C-alpha cells in the first residue's frame, strides 16, 4: 500500500502539467423552480497509468504532499474561467481543502482567478468543512471574514456529520449550509434523518442562510 501510494504521488505530481486533471460540473437545482441555479466543480483525474482515479483516493495523497495547493489553484482558475461563459445568474461552487485554506496565498489566488476570468465575485462560492474549526477557531474566522471581504460567497459543507457547533453559525454568517448526502440516503428509511434535515433547514432559514441537500436522486427524496 505504501509503495502504491508513493507511485501514485509521483504520477500525481505530473498530472497537472500533463493536463490529466479535469473538472466535472454537478448541477445545483432550486427545489422551488426546478431550474439550475449553480454548478459544483468536481475534480477528476484521468491517469494514463491508473485510469480514472477516485477523488477519495487521490485527494488525501495530494493533501499530504501539499500538491493540493497548486492543484487547488488550477481548479479555482479553471472553474472561474468556465463559469464566466455561463448565464450571469448561475454560480460556481468550489471545494477548498483545509490545507489550501490554511495557505497564506488563498486570498490572492481567489482574487487572481476572479480578475483573470472576469467572473463577478458573488458568483463564486467557496465550500469549506467544519474540520477547519477544530485547530484554531479565531484564525479560521479571521480567514473567512477576509474571504467574505473579497465579495465571494462561503458555504459550510457536509453540515451535521463532523464537529458541528452552533457557535460557528453565530460567529460567521455563512451563505449556505450543505446537508450531507448520508442524510439524504437515509431519508426514506429513517425518521431521524427527516427530523435532522427539518432542523437544519429551519435553523438555516432563521439565520438567513440557504441550504443545499446533496445527493437528491429521485422524486421521493425531493
Amino acid at each position: 500500500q505504501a509503495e502504491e501510494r508513493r507511485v501514485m504521488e509521483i504520477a500525481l505530481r505530473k498530472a497537472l502539467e500533463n493536463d490529466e486533471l479535469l473538472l466535472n460540473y454537478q448541477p445545483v437545482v432550486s427545489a422551488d423552480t426546478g431550474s439550475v441555479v449553480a454548478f459544483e466543480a468536481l475534480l477528476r483525474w484521468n491517469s494514463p497509468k491508473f485510469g480514472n482515479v477516485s477523488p477519495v483516493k487521490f485527494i488525501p495523497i495530494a493533501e499530504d504532499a501539499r500538491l493540493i495547493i497548486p492543484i487547488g489553484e488550477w481548479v479555482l482558475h479553471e472553474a472561474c474561467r468556465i463559469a464566466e461563459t455561463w448565464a450571469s445568474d448561475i454560480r460556481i461552487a468550489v471545494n477548498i481543502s483545509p490545507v489550501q485554506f490554511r495557505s497564506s496565498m488563498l486570498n490572492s489566488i481567489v482574487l487572481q482567478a476572479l480578475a483573470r476570468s472576469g467572473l463577478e465575485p458573488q458568483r463564486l462560492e467557496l465550500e469549506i468543512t467544519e474540520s477547519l474549526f477544530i485547530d484554531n477557531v479565531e484564525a479560521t474566522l479571521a480567514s473567512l471574514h477576509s474571504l467574505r471581504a473579497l465579495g465571494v460567497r462561503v458555504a459550510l459543507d457536509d453540515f451535521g456529520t463532523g464537529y458541528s457547533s452552533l457557535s460557528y453559525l453565530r460567529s460567521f454568517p455563512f451563505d449556505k449550509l450543505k446537508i450531507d448526502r448520508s442524510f439524504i440516503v437515509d431519508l426514506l428509511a429513517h425518521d431521524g434523518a427527516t427530523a435532522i434535515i427539518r432542523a437544519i433547514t429551519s435553523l438555516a432559514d432563521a439565520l438567513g442562510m440557504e441550504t443545499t441537500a446533496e445527493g437528491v436522486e429521485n422524486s421521493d427524496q425531493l
Side-chain angles (χ1 to χ4, degrees):
Q1 286 178 340
E3 176 63 15
E4 181 188 12
R5 188 180 177 90
R6 187 187 70 84
V7 173
M8 190 167 281
E9 181 185 324
I10 292 170
L12 191 54
R13 288 184 182 277
K14 300 176 182 176
L16 196 53
E17 59 190 73
N18 292 343
D19 292 327
E20 297 169 17
L21 299 177
L22 67 152
L23 294 181
N24 288 350
Y25 297 92
Q26 179 165 287
V28 180
V29 178
S30 166
D32 292 330
T33 66
S35 59
V36 173
V37 294
F39 286 92
E40 181 178 352
L42 303 176
L43 181 62
R44 297 291 181 260
W45 178 23
N46 186 10
S47 166
K49 186 179 183 68
F50 298 104
N52 290 317
V53 187
S54 167
V56 174
K57 197 165 190 176
F58 76 81
I59 293 293
I61 295 174
E63 289 181 330
D64 288 346
R66 294 188 67 81
L67 291 170
I68 199 67
I69 294 176
I71 289 174
E73 181 174 355
W74 175 82
V75 169
L76 271 168
H77 278 273
E78 180 68 4
C80 289
R81 182 183 71 82
I82 294 296
E84 207 283 322
T85 67
W86 301 338
S88 61
D89 58 343
I90 295 182
R91 300 191 300 268
I92 180 70
V94 177
N95 289 281
I96 301 297
S97 155
V99 176
Q100 205 181 347
F101 183 85
R102 295 186 184 104
S103 165
S104 60
M105 296 295 292
L106 181 58
N107 276 40
S108 58
I109 289 170
V110 170
L111 269 178
Q112 191 178 60
L114 291 170
R116 282 189 181 177
S117 64
L119 187 73
E120 295 176 353
Q122 66 269 23
R123 292 181 60 197
L124 175 61
E125 187 169 276
L126 303 179
E127 299 184 356
I128 66 155
T129 60
E130 293 169 309
S131 61
L132 284 170
F133 289 96
I134 302 170
D135 298 334
N136 192 328
V137 174
E138 290 76 18
T140 297
L141 289 172
S143 297
L144 287 174
H145 282 293
S146 66
L147 284 170
R148 171 62 63 70
L150 302 180
V152 301
R153 290 165 54 93
V154 182
L156 187 57
D157 202 5
D158 301 336
F159 185 74
T161 61
Y163 306 88
S164 302
S165 171
L166 299 184
S167 64
Y168 304 155
L169 306 185
R170 186 182 60 189
S171 304
F172 184 79
F174 290 97
D175 294 286
K176 177 187 287 185
L177 299 182
K178 294 188 69 183
I179 302 170
D180 188 71
R181 184 176 179 274
S182 61
F183 293 117
I184 307 304
V185 172
D186 288 345
L187 182 58
L188 305 177
H190 301 288
D191 291 340
T194 307
I196 289 170
I197 290 172
R198 185 178 293 114
I200 294 173
T201 54
S202 298
L203 175 65
D205 191 48
L207 294 172
M209 301 175 187
E210 293 179 13
T211 49
T212 291
E214 297 179 342
V216 176
E217 295 177 352
N218 60 55
S219 57
D220 287 341
Q221 290 172 333
L222 178 59

